[in-house]
Amino acid sequence: MTEPTAEELGLFAFQVFSKLEGAVTAGMIHLGDRLGLYRGLVDAGRPLTAAELAGSLGLDERWVQEWAYNQGAAGIVEVDPDERLSLSPAGVAVLASPDHPAFGMGSFHHLPQSIAALERLPEAFRTGIGLAYDEHGPECAEGVARGFEPWMRANLVDVVLPALDGVATRLRDEGGLVVDIGCGAGGAALMMGGAFPKATVRGYDISRHALDKAHARLAESGLTNVDFLDPRASPLPSNGSAALVTTFDCLHDMTDPAGMVRAIRSALRHDGTWLLVDIKAHDTYEENARRNPMASLMYGISVLSCMSSALSQPGGAGLGTLGLPESRVRSMAADAGFTRVRRLDVDHPINAFYEIRP
């Protein structure tokens, strides 16, 4: 083996340890969200010292100070020459504004549970069988909802559904059955139920943690046209009765995505629409690595969560986070009997949107 030069060794070590820095700082972002540190900076309305921030939240000053030094060095929190802390306008949106479309704390909410999966993944590597989402605990369902819903609240009813040919108008004027597969904690189903009171919305999920949260939110909402079901107990309709079927960021996580696409075709009316929303991906690893600056993150999340879920049963498809490029969407749709696939002109940093029709 050729001995690396000192420069090569230094550069490679820097690259490796910069990844460790990112992981550690991600943990500090989780703490900032969980402890309300970001929100505390916003609520103050002015820059705060670590002592002032700690005092406002009932926390220990020394711990907050060291956390702030990490955040300042990482460029997350702004630290002025007098070591007063503040957030930039972008920081306020991403870190402390749950209703902003760019709010990002959902991805950090269940970080401890995702990292804890590392203890069990060596066995998955040996057996080929991964972890279902519920094995990550209820925080996973909560985190997915916090990450998914801010953008959807701003765009699903006003931007995405109107981009489908005639769907929003028909649901508003005539109603119809809407089936949301992989509904999670129910956010999208509740949005659609509220926007289209003449429609009947059924959300389906196999996560008990997610369904428990969805039912609780449904009770709080007062909506009577929405329900949440476990397809193992209450199967999807197979009689061609659904006007709209939606799948948001879930098809690539399924053990049998091709079977699900066939089930969606059976559920839809002859003039119905399937709205497929899933992760943007390219056909090859080379394209993903070259064209997606978050490719390494996506592949890592896949091992921790997405591919793991898709391999949680023997024979699982294991598509993974970047496993559903447009070419595969089109071929799976055609194999299930769909004849039309149109990629929608919807601007989203991570997801692609497709209108698929019989």
Side-chain angles (χ1 to χ4, degrees):
M1 182 181 71
T2 304
E3 189 69 22
T5 66
E7 181 180 12
E8 290 170 338
L9 192 61
L11 288 173
F12 188 79
F14 174 78
Q15 180 182 9
V16 168
F17 281 94
S18 69
K19 307 307 179 188
L20 180 59
E21 180 277 327
V24 171
T25 296
M28 297 302 102
I29 293 172
H30 167 81
L31 286 175
D33 176 57
R34 180 173 178 177
L35 294 170
L37 290 159
Y38 300 125
R39 192 66 241 173
L41 289 173
V42 174
D43 290 344
R46 61 180 178 83
L48 298 178
T49 65
E52 290 170 332
L53 179 58
S56 70
L57 298 172
L59 302 174
D60 183 87
E61 174 187 348
R62 182 67 187 92
W63 287 82
V64 172
Q65 181 186 58
E66 202 75 352
W67 171 86
Y69 287 164
N70 160 269
Q71 296 285 279
I76 308 298
V77 170
E78 297 186 346
V79 182
D80 71 16
D82 295 320
E83 295 192 2
R84 290 175 300 197
L85 316 173
S86 62
L87 293 177
S88 67
V92 172
V94 173
L95 301 170
S97 302
D99 292 328
H100 195 286
F103 182 68
M105 292 301 93
S107 298
F108 295 86
H109 183 93
H110 55 292
L111 180 64
Q113 291 75 28
S114 296
I115 296 301
L118 293 173
E119 294 293 331
R120 300 177 62 184
L121 285 180
E123 184 65 13
F125 272 72
R126 286 187 282 267
T127 65
I129 305 300
L131 306 178
Y133 267 114
D134 270 5
E135 295 184 70
H136 297 279
E139 293 300 326
C140 182
E142 177 70 23
V144 170
R146 291 187 74 203
F148 166 81
E149 292 182 18
W151 190 92
M152 280 296 187
R153 276 195 296 269
N155 293 280
L156 177 59
V157 172
D158 294 334
V159 176
V160 178
L161 295 180
L164 301 172
D165 187 15
V167 170
T169 299
R170 175 178 290 182
L171 290 176
R172 185 176 297 110
D173 295 343
E174 303 173 14
L177 175 61
V178 177
V179 173
D180 182 22
I181 298 171
C183 65
L190 292 170
M191 293 176 208
M192 291 188 286
F196 305 109
K198 292 183 179 180
T200 298
V201 182
R202 296 180 193 159
Y204 290 85
D205 209 292
I206 61 172
S207 166
R208 293 309 313 170
H209 296 311
L211 287 173
D212 287 347
K213 184 170 179 61
H215 281 121
R217 297 173 76 186
L218 175 59
E220 294 173 0
S221 75
L223 293 173
T224 59
N225 62 332
V226 180
D227 196 8
F228 295 106
L229 305 164
D230 185 331
R232 294 166 296 192
S234 302
L236 298 171
S238 58
N239 58 353
S241 58
L244 173 66
V245 174
T246 59
T247 55
F248 298 107
D249 280 322
C250 62
L251 193 64
H252 69 271
D253 297 318
M254 295 182 184
T255 56
D256 183 16
M260 177 54 70
V261 177
R262 292 192 296 271
I264 291 170
R265 178 63 188 87
S266 296
L268 273 175
R269 296 182 340 197
H270 69 91
D271 59 349
T273 300
W274 172 24
L275 171 62
L276 167 61
V277 180
D278 219 290
I279 308 296
K280 292 177 184 176
H282 302 286
D283 287 328
T284 66
Y285 159 76
E286 187 277 331
E287 289 178 286
N288 283 320
R290 174 169 51 85
R291 300 174 63 181
N292 186 343
M294 294 193 296
S296 62
L297 171 63
M298 295 293 189
Y299 284 121
I301 291 294
S302 192
V303 172
L304 290 170
S305 182
C306 298
M307 186 192 73
S308 185
S309 171
L311 291 173
S312 60
Q313 295 178 6
L319 292 183
T321 307
L322 294 176
L324 202 61
E326 183 171 345
S327 60
R328 180 167 281 156
V329 168
R330 292 182 177 277
S331 65
M332 290 175 70
D335 289 345
F338 289 96
T339 64
R340 290 167 287 173
V341 177
R342 179 171 69 99
R343 186 162 177 171
L344 301 178
D345 185 18
V346 174
D347 183 26
H348 190 279
I350 295 174
N351 287 330
F353 295 71
Y354 302 92
E355 177 188 71
I356 304 177
R357 291 180 178 265

